[in-house]
Amino acid sequence: DIKLVINTPSGSKSLADEILIRRNAVLKSIPTITTLNGARAAVKAIKSLVESDLDVTPIQDFCAKI
């Protein structure tokens, strides 16, 4: 199963491919990253989650307490 798509297009041929890739990712609810900076940030965040004992809390939980 594909859980994440990283696609950094460049050029006119890549644009056509990007549209197809993004459309299919959206239809299957797969997150898509389209910039190198975004990919670096995602990798860093995933690495931090894997290597640490960090808990993730949805923002909705914080808002419910307000």
Side-chain angles (χ1 to χ4, degrees):
D1 286 333
I2 297 172
K3 302 292 182 188
L4 175 66
V5 172
I6 299 175
N7 181 38
T8 56
S10 62
S12 59
K13 172 69 174 123
S14 292
L15 180 61
D17 291 340
E18 177 192 8
I19 292 168
L20 200 69
I21 291 167
R22 189 181 298 212
R23 179 181 298 136
N24 283 298
V26 167
L27 288 173
K28 296 178 182 188
S29 299
I30 300 171
T32 305
I33 299 169
T34 58
T35 65
L36 288 176
N37 285 338
R40 286 185 191 107
V43 168
K44 188 175 178 180
I46 292 166
K47 185 178 177 186
S48 291
L49 284 172
V50 169
E51 292 178 350
S52 69
D53 195 20
L54 186 67
D55 288 327
V56 177
T57 303
I59 195 158
Q60 291 85 350
D61 291 353
F62 287 109
C63 292
K65 294 176 184 178
I66 297 176

